[in-house]
Amino acid sequence: MKKDWLTGYFFTLPSIILLVILVIYPLFLTLNYSLSDMSLTSSRYLGWTAYNKLFGNKMLPLVFKNSIIWTVLVVFFQLLLGLGSAIVLNKPFWGRSLVRGIMILPWVMPGVVAGMVWRLIYDPQLGLLNHYLKSLGLIDQYLTWLSVPGSAIYAVIFSAIWKGFPFSMLMYLAGLQGVSTELYEAANIDGAGKWKQFRYVTLPSMQPIITITFLLTFIWTFNYFELIYVMTGGGPAESTHIFPTYVYDLAFKRFRFGDASRFAIFDFLFLLIFSLFYVWLSQRQKGAEQ
Amino acid sequence: MKTHWSGHVITAIQVLLLLVFVLFPFSVMLSVSLKAPDEQFTSPPYLIPKRPTGDNYLHVFGRGSMFVRYFINSFTVALGTTVVVIFVALFSSYGYARLQFPGKKFFFNLLLLSQLFPLAAIIVPLYRIMGQAGLIDTFASLIIGYLAFSVPVGVWLLRGFFVGIPKELEEAAQIDGCSQLQAFWKIVVPLVRPGIGATAAYILFLTWQEFMFALTFITSQDKRTLPVGIFDFVGQYETNWGNLMAASVLICIPVFILFLFVQKQLVGGLTQGAVKG
């Protein structure tokens, strides 16, 4: 038995050490910095009162609001589009595997490249979006999508949905293939229509995969940096900052490491509480079903 | 079950709409990459170049362009990270899938929890640690930094593949006199080869496109990786869109080819890693 312990640690220790050195220890350092007013040249220890500075910062409500709008809209539409396209691509048709391969390309495309391409599409003069919308008679004149505070965040959100939905699609496709055909046959015999089959057979069978996909995409989207950084840099007038972009801005453009660390800790705690709550909720649901 | 012809038409329309939605940005990228400057700036813009040219691609590879250098840098960093991750994750994921030891559940949960850490939350201390170690502006700083997010992902993905392999195989090998390590190395590892391929591909893909660390840790131009390097084509007042899009196409090609080969295994790994508790 004792030998078994040794084998267990022999196999897992390298990853544990890396995790501690590269993630846990830096996180404690961030917590430590967050209690100070550290900048490039000086550091003044403030203790927990440093957090008064965070909650007095007028950017906190804005960054928090943006992060929520951004994450909720992106995740919701990725779920919808992912599930819809998975259902379509689960039907048999000629060239299906090729189409499936093509559909995951946005997810595989590097984030910086995607940001650049969408910047070009939204460009007020060179971009095709304005041209097409005008041809369709939906707008009168070319719009500056990314340089107006009201529309910029939604423009980036649209690109993020495009960029990330193939991941959800892949997960749901795998999930659909796991739904037992006997259940559909039984539902057919009972005279259930398409919608009822979806509601009472497909959705319940896919519950675990939807749960985990929702959690993963929520966390990834909340932490996603490149797209906003490349498309708007947090502008115009700081209107599109979410936590990662604002933390980066504070730390490496203004060298306000203390402020950056407080925003980072807030970001982390929010995600932690959200995830714990979500896991608790889905466990309880599972318990209620059994 | 036979589908009525109208069902086929509806499916075809749905597939077509999805393809248009997904492919539109790619067609913009390809189109502008093939346009000479006079075609790039026409008003109104149009999708299909009238006189397609390879000039942008030649320029990206041409004299005075750092692009080939960036390509080699990216490749070095991505490959270096992937080799380390696979080696570490191969052992760890087996440990978490098969072995019993105190603290196992705690450490595995910590590993999963590390997915929550926004990289932005640890970048300031990591930057300072790298500075103290004298690693700023080296590939080592990037490779080490990338381990922070890719080791947990690697372990999580690979574990799904190990769970799928029957325990009896190693037990039989151990009865035949193999040690645990030998049974692992000779029997189990060869069986998860597709999983190793898929995991390696995923880590390559993550590191190939990583931007935040690459932007922060690397200070000299000749050590930049591709995602940072393409900003060479973005000027302060004017962006060279033709060159930028040609470079973009070239950055995409390696990862697209990679995914073509491992798509099936990767999906298997992602769903197994996620769902098999």
PDB file of all heavy atoms in Angstrom, chain B residues 181-207:
ATOM      1  N   LEU B 181       5.571   0.606 -13.933  1.00  0.00           N
ATOM      2  CA  LEU B 181       6.121   1.539 -14.906  1.00  0.00           C
ATOM      3  C   LEU B 181       6.264   0.892 -16.275  1.00  0.00           C
ATOM      4  O   LEU B 181       5.940   1.485 -17.311  1.00  0.00           O
ATOM      5  CB  LEU B 181       7.480   2.055 -14.415  1.00  0.00           C
ATOM      6  CG  LEU B 181       8.048   3.266 -15.153  1.00  0.00           C
ATOM      7  CD1 LEU B 181       7.129   4.461 -15.013  1.00  0.00           C
ATOM      8  CD2 LEU B 181       9.441   3.607 -14.617  1.00  0.00           C
ATOM      9  N   GLN B 182       6.720  -0.388 -16.257  1.00  0.00           N
ATOM     10  CA  GLN B 182       6.861  -1.098 -17.537  1.00  0.00           C
ATOM     11  C   GLN B 182       5.503  -1.323 -18.190  1.00  0.00           C
ATOM     12  O   GLN B 182       5.348  -1.144 -19.395  1.00  0.00           O
ATOM     13  CB  GLN B 182       7.553  -2.445 -17.311  1.00  0.00           C
ATOM     14  CG  GLN B 182       9.057  -2.321 -17.143  1.00  0.00           C
ATOM     15  CD  GLN B 182       9.676  -3.639 -16.723  1.00  0.00           C
ATOM     16  OE1 GLN B 182       9.076  -4.404 -15.958  1.00  0.00           O
ATOM     17  NE2 GLN B 182      10.877  -3.909 -17.194  1.00  0.00           N
ATOM     18  N   ALA B 183       4.528  -1.722 -17.367  1.00  0.00           N
ATOM     19  CA  ALA B 183       3.185  -1.952 -17.909  1.00  0.00           C
ATOM     20  C   ALA B 183       2.639  -0.665 -18.512  1.00  0.00           C
ATOM     21  O   ALA B 183       2.037  -0.653 -19.586  1.00  0.00           O
ATOM     22  CB  ALA B 183       2.244  -2.454 -16.804  1.00  0.00           C
ATOM     23  N   PHE B 184       2.881   0.444 -17.839  1.00  0.00           N
ATOM     24  CA  PHE B 184       2.436   1.752 -18.322  1.00  0.00           C
ATOM     25  C   PHE B 184       3.086   2.078 -19.654  1.00  0.00           C
ATOM     26  O   PHE B 184       2.417   2.411 -20.631  1.00  0.00           O
ATOM     27  CB  PHE B 184       2.787   2.813 -17.266  1.00  0.00           C
ATOM     28  CG  PHE B 184       2.760   4.228 -17.756  1.00  0.00           C
ATOM     29  CD1 PHE B 184       1.549   4.873 -17.987  1.00  0.00           C
ATOM     30  CD2 PHE B 184       3.944   4.925 -17.975  1.00  0.00           C
ATOM     31  CE1 PHE B 184       1.529   6.178 -18.436  1.00  0.00           C
ATOM     32  CE2 PHE B 184       3.926   6.234 -18.426  1.00  0.00           C
ATOM     33  CZ  PHE B 184       2.715   6.862 -18.662  1.00  0.00           C
ATOM     34  N   TRP B 185       4.401   1.931 -19.688  1.00  0.00           N
ATOM     35  CA  TRP B 185       5.156   2.374 -20.845  1.00  0.00           C
ATOM     36  C   TRP B 185       4.972   1.462 -22.056  1.00  0.00           C
ATOM     37  O   TRP B 185       4.873   1.917 -23.185  1.00  0.00           O
ATOM     38  CB  TRP B 185       6.641   2.476 -20.455  1.00  0.00           C
ATOM     39  CG  TRP B 185       7.419   3.373 -21.356  1.00  0.00           C
ATOM     40  CD1 TRP B 185       8.392   3.009 -22.235  1.00  0.00           C
ATOM     41  CD2 TRP B 185       7.265   4.793 -21.489  1.00  0.00           C
ATOM     42  NE1 TRP B 185       8.850   4.114 -22.905  1.00  0.00           N
ATOM     43  CE2 TRP B 185       8.177   5.212 -22.468  1.00  0.00           C
ATOM     44  CE3 TRP B 185       6.434   5.745 -20.886  1.00  0.00           C
ATOM     45  CZ2 TRP B 185       8.298   6.550 -22.863  1.00  0.00           C
ATOM     46  CZ3 TRP B 185       6.549   7.073 -21.268  1.00  0.00           C
ATOM     47  CH2 TRP B 185       7.469   7.461 -22.235  1.00  0.00           C
ATOM     48  N   LYS B 186       4.895   0.130 -21.779  1.00  0.00           N
ATOM     49  CA  LYS B 186       4.863  -0.806 -22.904  1.00  0.00           C
ATOM     50  C   LYS B 186       3.451  -1.152 -23.360  1.00  0.00           C
ATOM     51  O   LYS B 186       3.222  -1.445 -24.527  1.00  0.00           O
ATOM     52  CB  LYS B 186       5.597  -2.105 -22.510  1.00  0.00           C
ATOM     53  CG  LYS B 186       7.090  -1.910 -22.471  1.00  0.00           C
ATOM     54  CD  LYS B 186       7.762  -3.245 -22.304  1.00  0.00           C
ATOM     55  CE  LYS B 186       9.266  -3.113 -22.139  1.00  0.00           C
ATOM     56  NZ  LYS B 186       9.815  -4.174 -21.297  1.00  0.00           N
ATOM     57  N   ILE B 187       2.509  -1.152 -22.434  1.00  0.00           N
ATOM     58  CA  ILE B 187       1.158  -1.590 -22.791  1.00  0.00           C
ATOM     59  C   ILE B 187       0.211  -0.405 -22.980  1.00  0.00           C
ATOM     60  O   ILE B 187      -0.472  -0.290 -23.999  1.00  0.00           O
ATOM     61  CB  ILE B 187       0.561  -2.517 -21.693  1.00  0.00           C
ATOM     62  CG1 ILE B 187       1.541  -3.620 -21.319  1.00  0.00           C
ATOM     63  CG2 ILE B 187      -0.792  -3.065 -22.132  1.00  0.00           C
ATOM     64  CD1 ILE B 187       1.734  -4.697 -22.339  1.00  0.00           C
ATOM     65  N   VAL B 188       0.182   0.507 -22.002  1.00  0.00           N
ATOM     66  CA  VAL B 188      -0.853   1.530 -22.007  1.00  0.00           C
ATOM     67  C   VAL B 188      -0.531   2.685 -22.955  1.00  0.00           C
ATOM     68  O   VAL B 188      -1.375   3.096 -23.748  1.00  0.00           O
ATOM     69  CB  VAL B 188      -1.101   2.079 -20.584  1.00  0.00           C
ATOM     70  CG1 VAL B 188      -2.344   2.940 -20.577  1.00  0.00           C
ATOM     71  CG2 VAL B 188      -1.265   0.932 -19.610  1.00  0.00           C
ATOM     72  N   VAL B 189       0.701   3.183 -22.876  1.00  0.00           N
ATOM     73  CA  VAL B 189       1.045   4.347 -23.709  1.00  0.00           C
ATOM     74  C   VAL B 189       0.810   4.096 -25.210  1.00  0.00           C
ATOM     75  O   VAL B 189       0.211   4.931 -25.884  1.00  0.00           O
ATOM     76  CB  VAL B 189       2.493   4.823 -23.412  1.00  0.00           C
ATOM     77  CG1 VAL B 189       2.950   5.848 -24.430  1.00  0.00           C
ATOM     78  CG2 VAL B 189       2.568   5.422 -22.010  1.00  0.00           C
ATOM     79  N   PRO B 190       1.247   2.945 -25.739  1.00  0.00           N
ATOM     80  CA  PRO B 190       0.965   2.713 -27.163  1.00  0.00           C
ATOM     81  C   PRO B 190      -0.534   2.734 -27.489  1.00  0.00           C
ATOM     82  O   PRO B 190      -0.924   3.157 -28.579  1.00  0.00           O
ATOM     83  CB  PRO B 190       1.551   1.322 -27.420  1.00  0.00           C
ATOM     84  CG  PRO B 190       2.594   1.148 -26.384  1.00  0.00           C
ATOM     85  CD  PRO B 190       2.092   1.866 -25.173  1.00  0.00           C
ATOM     86  N   LEU B 191      -1.352   2.308 -26.525  1.00  0.00           N
ATOM     87  CA  LEU B 191      -2.793   2.262 -26.794  1.00  0.00           C
ATOM     88  C   LEU B 191      -3.419   3.662 -26.846  1.00  0.00           C
ATOM     89  O   LEU B 191      -4.436   3.865 -27.480  1.00  0.00           O
ATOM     90  CB  LEU B 191      -3.501   1.432 -25.719  1.00  0.00           C
ATOM     91  CG  LEU B 191      -3.323  -0.074 -25.850  1.00  0.00           C
ATOM     92  CD1 LEU B 191      -3.901  -0.780 -24.636  1.00  0.00           C
ATOM     93  CD2 LEU B 191      -3.964  -0.590 -27.129  1.00  0.00           C
ATOM     94  N   VAL B 192      -2.827   4.613 -26.117  1.00  0.00           N
ATOM     95  CA  VAL B 192      -3.416   5.960 -26.140  1.00  0.00           C
ATOM     96  C   VAL B 192      -2.761   6.854 -27.195  1.00  0.00           C
ATOM     97  O   VAL B 192      -2.928   8.071 -27.163  1.00  0.00           O
ATOM     98  CB  VAL B 192      -3.345   6.674 -24.765  1.00  0.00           C
ATOM     99  CG1 VAL B 192      -4.280   6.056 -23.776  1.00  0.00           C
ATOM    100  CG2 VAL B 192      -1.941   6.752 -24.232  1.00  0.00           C
ATOM    101  N   ARG B 193      -2.049   6.249 -28.134  1.00  0.00           N
ATOM    102  CA  ARG B 193      -1.359   7.062 -29.131  1.00  0.00           C
ATOM    103  C   ARG B 193      -2.284   8.070 -29.833  1.00  0.00           C
ATOM    104  O   ARG B 193      -1.895   9.226 -30.003  1.00  0.00           O
ATOM    105  CB  ARG B 193      -0.636   6.165 -30.139  1.00  0.00           C
ATOM    106  CG  ARG B 193       0.679   6.787 -30.578  1.00  0.00           C
ATOM    107  CD  ARG B 193       1.452   5.891 -31.514  1.00  0.00           C
ATOM    108  NE  ARG B 193       2.167   4.832 -30.817  1.00  0.00           N
ATOM    109  CZ  ARG B 193       2.457   3.646 -31.383  1.00  0.00           C
ATOM    110  NH1 ARG B 193       2.074   3.373 -32.610  1.00  0.00           N
ATOM    111  NH2 ARG B 193       3.112   2.739 -30.698  1.00  0.00           N
ATOM    112  N   PRO B 194      -3.482   7.652 -30.240  1.00  0.00           N
ATOM    113  CA  PRO B 194      -4.361   8.665 -30.868  1.00  0.00           C
ATOM    114  C   PRO B 194      -4.666   9.817 -29.916  1.00  0.00           C
ATOM    115  O   PRO B 194      -4.735  10.974 -30.332  1.00  0.00           O
ATOM    116  CB  PRO B 194      -5.644   7.886 -31.173  1.00  0.00           C
ATOM    117  CG  PRO B 194      -5.290   6.449 -31.093  1.00  0.00           C
ATOM    118  CD  PRO B 194      -4.105   6.330 -30.193  1.00  0.00           C
ATOM    119  N   GLY B 195      -4.808   9.494 -28.644  1.00  0.00           N
ATOM    120  CA  GLY B 195      -5.063  10.532 -27.652  1.00  0.00           C
ATOM    121  C   GLY B 195      -3.876  11.467 -27.500  1.00  0.00           C
ATOM    122  O   GLY B 195      -4.040  12.679 -27.355  1.00  0.00           O
ATOM    123  N   ILE B 196      -2.677  10.903 -27.564  1.00  0.00           N
ATOM    124  CA  ILE B 196      -1.477  11.737 -27.476  1.00  0.00           C
ATOM    125  C   ILE B 196      -1.435  12.688 -28.671  1.00  0.00           C
ATOM    126  O   ILE B 196      -1.171  13.884 -28.526  1.00  0.00           O
ATOM    127  CB  ILE B 196      -0.202  10.865 -27.443  1.00  0.00           C
ATOM    128  CG1 ILE B 196      -0.193  10.010 -26.173  1.00  0.00           C
ATOM    129  CG2 ILE B 196       1.042  11.733 -27.495  1.00  0.00           C
ATOM    130  CD1 ILE B 196       0.926   8.982 -26.134  1.00  0.00           C
ATOM    131  N   GLY B 197      -1.754  12.148 -29.850  1.00  0.00           N
ATOM    132  CA  GLY B 197      -1.780  12.992 -31.057  1.00  0.00           C
ATOM    133  C   GLY B 197      -2.756  14.135 -30.913  1.00  0.00           C
ATOM    134  O   GLY B 197      -2.432  15.292 -31.196  1.00  0.00           O
ATOM    135  N   ALA B 198      -3.959  13.815 -30.453  1.00  0.00           N
ATOM    136  CA  ALA B 198      -4.992  14.847 -30.328  1.00  0.00           C
ATOM    137  C   ALA B 198      -4.594  15.885 -29.288  1.00  0.00           C
ATOM    138  O   ALA B 198      -4.758  17.098 -29.502  1.00  0.00           O
ATOM    139  CB  ALA B 198      -6.321  14.205 -29.944  1.00  0.00           C
ATOM    140  N   THR B 199      -4.059  15.425 -28.167  1.00  0.00           N
ATOM    141  CA  THR B 199      -3.660  16.357 -27.109  1.00  0.00           C
ATOM    142  C   THR B 199      -2.525  17.250 -27.590  1.00  0.00           C
ATOM    143  O   THR B 199      -2.548  18.470 -27.397  1.00  0.00           O
ATOM    144  CB  THR B 199      -3.230  15.586 -25.852  1.00  0.00           C
ATOM    145  OG1 THR B 199      -4.256  14.645 -25.522  1.00  0.00           O
ATOM    146  CG2 THR B 199      -3.020  16.522 -24.675  1.00  0.00           C
ATOM    147  N   ALA B 200      -1.533  16.631 -28.243  1.00  0.00           N
ATOM    148  CA  ALA B 200      -0.414  17.417 -28.769  1.00  0.00           C
ATOM    149  C   ALA B 200      -0.919  18.476 -29.747  1.00  0.00           C
ATOM    150  O   ALA B 200      -0.488  19.630 -29.712  1.00  0.00           O
ATOM    151  CB  ALA B 200       0.608  16.502 -29.446  1.00  0.00           C
ATOM    152  N   ALA B 201      -1.858  18.069 -30.604  1.00  0.00           N
ATOM    153  CA  ALA B 201      -2.389  19.021 -31.584  1.00  0.00           C
ATOM    154  C   ALA B 201      -3.071  20.186 -30.880  1.00  0.00           C
ATOM    155  O   ALA B 201      -2.923  21.350 -31.269  1.00  0.00           O
ATOM    156  CB  ALA B 201      -3.377  18.315 -32.513  1.00  0.00           C
ATOM    157  N   TYR B 202      -3.806  19.889 -29.826  1.00  0.00           N
ATOM    158  CA  TYR B 202      -4.525  20.934 -29.112  1.00  0.00           C
ATOM    159  C   TYR B 202      -3.553  21.901 -28.423  1.00  0.00           C
ATOM    160  O   TYR B 202      -3.742  23.115 -28.436  1.00  0.00           O
ATOM    161  CB  TYR B 202      -5.489  20.313 -28.101  1.00  0.00           C
ATOM    162  CG  TYR B 202      -6.440  21.310 -27.497  1.00  0.00           C
ATOM    163  CD1 TYR B 202      -7.281  22.059 -28.308  1.00  0.00           C
ATOM    164  CD2 TYR B 202      -6.481  21.518 -26.126  1.00  0.00           C
ATOM    165  CE1 TYR B 202      -8.148  22.997 -27.761  1.00  0.00           C
ATOM    166  CE2 TYR B 202      -7.345  22.441 -25.566  1.00  0.00           C
ATOM    167  CZ  TYR B 202      -8.185  23.175 -26.393  1.00  0.00           C
ATOM    168  OH  TYR B 202      -9.033  24.098 -25.845  1.00  0.00           O
ATOM    169  N   ILE B 203      -2.486  21.353 -27.831  1.00  0.00           N
ATOM    170  CA  ILE B 203      -1.490  22.206 -27.172  1.00  0.00           C
ATOM    171  C   ILE B 203      -0.756  23.056 -28.215  1.00  0.00           C
ATOM    172  O   ILE B 203      -0.517  24.251 -28.010  1.00  0.00           O
ATOM    173  CB  ILE B 203      -0.467  21.352 -26.377  1.00  0.00           C
ATOM    174  CG1 ILE B 203      -1.170  20.426 -25.383  1.00  0.00           C
ATOM    175  CG2 ILE B 203       0.532  22.251 -25.652  1.00  0.00           C
ATOM    176  CD1 ILE B 203      -1.939  21.100 -24.293  1.00  0.00           C
ATOM    177  N   LEU B 204      -0.413  22.437 -29.354  1.00  0.00           N
ATOM    178  CA  LEU B 204       0.229  23.193 -30.436  1.00  0.00           C
ATOM    179  C   LEU B 204      -0.659  24.357 -30.866  1.00  0.00           C
ATOM    180  O   LEU B 204      -0.202  25.486 -31.051  1.00  0.00           O
ATOM    181  CB  LEU B 204       0.486  22.291 -31.647  1.00  0.00           C
ATOM    182  CG  LEU B 204       1.737  21.434 -31.624  1.00  0.00           C
ATOM    183  CD1 LEU B 204       1.727  20.457 -32.789  1.00  0.00           C
ATOM    184  CD2 LEU B 204       2.988  22.300 -31.703  1.00  0.00           C
ATOM    185  N   PHE B 205      -1.937  24.070 -30.996  1.00  0.00           N
ATOM    186  CA  PHE B 205      -2.900  25.084 -31.429  1.00  0.00           C
ATOM    187  C   PHE B 205      -2.999  26.217 -30.402  1.00  0.00           C
ATOM    188  O   PHE B 205      -2.978  27.401 -30.745  1.00  0.00           O
ATOM    189  CB  PHE B 205      -4.232  24.379 -31.662  1.00  0.00           C
ATOM    190  CG  PHE B 205      -5.468  25.203 -31.476  1.00  0.00           C
ATOM    191  CD1 PHE B 205      -5.828  26.165 -32.402  1.00  0.00           C
ATOM    192  CD2 PHE B 205      -6.298  24.978 -30.395  1.00  0.00           C
ATOM    193  CE1 PHE B 205      -6.980  26.918 -32.232  1.00  0.00           C
ATOM    194  CE2 PHE B 205      -7.449  25.710 -30.221  1.00  0.00           C
ATOM    195  CZ  PHE B 205      -7.792  26.687 -31.148  1.00  0.00           C
ATOM    196  N   LEU B 206      -3.026  25.876 -29.115  1.00  0.00           N
ATOM    197  CA  LEU B 206      -3.115  26.909 -28.071  1.00  0.00           C
ATOM    198  C   LEU B 206      -1.869  27.794 -28.060  1.00  0.00           C
ATOM    199  O   LEU B 206      -1.955  29.007 -27.944  1.00  0.00           O
ATOM    200  CB  LEU B 206      -3.267  26.263 -26.683  1.00  0.00           C
ATOM    201  CG  LEU B 206      -4.618  25.670 -26.302  1.00  0.00           C
ATOM    202  CD1 LEU B 206      -4.541  25.090 -24.896  1.00  0.00           C
ATOM    203  CD2 LEU B 206      -5.702  26.736 -26.351  1.00  0.00           C
ATOM    204  N   THR B 207      -0.696  27.156 -28.176  1.00  0.00           N
ATOM    205  CA  THR B 207       0.534  27.924 -28.049  1.00  0.00           C
ATOM    206  C   THR B 207       0.859  28.681 -29.339  1.00  0.00           C
ATOM    207  O   THR B 207       1.451  29.742 -29.304  1.00  0.00           O
ATOM    208  CB  THR B 207       1.719  27.010 -27.683  1.00  0.00           C
ATOM    209  OG1 THR B 207       1.663  25.842 -28.499  1.00  0.00           O
ATOM    210  CG2 THR B 207       1.627  26.591 -26.237  1.00  0.00           C
TER     211      THR B 207
END
